[in-house]
Structures are given as C-alpha cells and as structure tokens.
Amino acid sequence: MVCNPWFSGIVSCVSFIFLWGGLINIFVVGLILVFIAIVFFVHAVHLQFNVRKGKKSFGMPEGILLYSDLNVPATPLFSKRLQLSGKPDCIVKKENHYLPVEVKSGRGARPHFSQILQLAAYCQILEDTSGVFVPEGILIYNNLPYTIPFNPKLRYELESVMKTMRASLRSGTVRRNHNDPRRCRHCSMKHYCTEVVQEVG
C-alpha cells in the first residue's frame, strides 16, 4: 500500500512522541492528536463534496448509490417471473425507493423510445428482484437527466414489446419494422440482416 508523504510524516511524528513521551508534555500529544483528527475530518468532507459535485455535473440523482456497472462489471439482475436479466448502469436508493439509472448518448435532442424501454425493463427487473415498488427510472441522455415514470402505460408497452419479441424468436423470423436507411447504417446487426434498407444516392 502506498501512503501519502504527509501521512507518513504524521505517523513518524506520533511514533517519536510516544517513544520519547517522558520528554514531552501529554497536553501537547493531545493537541497533535486533535489536529490529526481535524485533518482527516476536513479531508473526508472535501471528498464528499467532490463526489456530490461530480454526481451533479454528471446528472446523477441524489441518493445512496447501491449498485454500479459503470467502472467495474457488476452482477446481472435476473427476474424469474419474466425470465429476463440486465445490468443497469446504477441503482440509487432515494428515500424508500430504488431507482435504476441508465446513461446514454446520441445525436437526437431527446432519448429514443428504445432507450426508454430498456430503462423500463430495468425498472421491472429491479421491482421483481427487490420486491419494492419502483415508481420511476432516471435516463441520463447526453449528460441531461430525464425522469421516466414507470407508469401503467409504460408497463403495458414493455410487456407488449416483450411478447412480440418472444413470438418472433419462436417463429424464427424477425422482420424489419422501419424504412429508415440511417437506422440500418448504424445497426450492429446489419451484416447479418437480409432486409437492410439501402441509401439512395
């Protein structure tokens, strides 16, 4: 473990004091220990301030961070009821609720519906695994936070899309559902798709 030079100096100073305690007034030792405690307290407050400042600039909601897949790969969450697994970027506890947080970027002015559905899936998985009602999720799109209510309408749309996807998987045929060449251009499956929309000109 690597220690900071100032910390090593303090440790050496305290060690010297205890070795030669007979030569130094115990009151001075107490003052030094109080000073060390103050230094650690100020350092902790400074770290907490920087964390809050970073979360605010990043768009993260206030609350206790319970789960993160941003820096270190996290364990996927799994809903037995839906037979669905996923890893939200973060899970934040705010008051008595758990909120999934998903970070996205894009060229559009607002989040895409597919991104909202992904967040909805995380809301449902989190609700199933925790047993706690999830009222909403947070979608951070281009560093701007959007609160997405996990209301009955979005719940129904999620269930409907999942049923359609599973029906397509069972049939073995997945048809293209758009005519936008730009979506095909940026699609990760375009090399395997037989219905790529060709760009004109």
Side-chain angles (χ1 to χ4, degrees):
M1 181 176 68
V2 179
C3 296
N4 291 329
W6 64 269
F7 181 76
S8 300
I10 291 175
V11 172
S12 300
C13 180
V14 173
S15 300
F16 176 81
I17 289 172
F18 279 103
L19 286 173
W20 301 94
L23 303 178
I24 300 177
N25 192 300
I26 193 67
F27 178 72
V28 176
V29 176
L31 286 179
I32 293 176
L33 292 177
V34 170
F35 173 76
I36 293 173
I38 292 174
V39 169
F40 275 104
F41 176 76
V42 171
H43 184 61
V45 171
H46 180 68
L47 283 177
Q48 186 177 21
F49 174 78
N50 285 340
V51 168
R52 288 187 175 182
K53 184 178 179 181
K55 286 174 64 178
K56 188 174 182 180
S57 63
F58 190 59
M60 288 287 289
E62 289 293 330
I64 302 173
L65 183 64
L66 300 178
Y67 173 104
S68 176
D69 189 52
L70 290 175
N71 298 322
V72 180
T75 303
L77 305 178
F78 179 70
S79 169
K80 292 183 179 180
R81 183 179 69 86
L82 296 177
Q83 291 295 298
L84 186 67
S85 65
K87 296 194 296 182
D89 288 329
C90 297
I91 296 175
V92 173
K93 183 178 181 181
K94 186 176 181 180
E95 297 176 352
N96 295 323
H97 298 296
Y98 299 138
L99 306 179
V101 180
E102 188 67 12
V103 181
K104 295 291 185 183
S105 61
R107 298 180 180 179
R110 297 181 63 83
H112 302 293
F113 181 64
S114 59
Q115 296 169 336
I116 294 175
L117 271 183
Q118 182 181 354
L119 180 65
Y122 293 146
C123 288
Q124 189 63 71
I125 293 172
L126 181 56
E127 191 171 275
D128 290 347
T129 54
S130 67
V132 178
F133 174 70
V134 176
E136 61 193 26
I138 307 296
L139 182 57
I140 300 175
Y141 183 75
N142 291 339
N143 292 334
L144 293 177
Y146 292 84
T147 300
I148 309 298
F150 192 41
N151 53 29
K153 181 177 182 294
L154 186 55
R155 290 170 185 265
Y156 174 79
E157 290 175 335
L158 175 64
E159 294 278 353
S160 177
V161 168
M162 288 181 59
K163 287 179 181 178
T164 301
M165 291 174 63
R166 286 174 174 164
S168 298
L169 288 173
R170 285 193 298 268
S171 68
T173 303
V174 180
R175 304 301 302 271
R176 171 172 44 83
N177 63 351
H178 68 89
N179 293 306
D180 188 352
R182 293 172 300 177
R183 293 179 62 179
C184 289
R185 185 198 318 154
H186 299 291
C187 180
S188 60
M189 302 299 293
K190 63 183 178 182
H191 299 296
Y192 309 97
C193 181
T194 59
E195 298 185 359
V196 175
V197 180
Q198 300 297 330
E199 298 189 51
V200 178

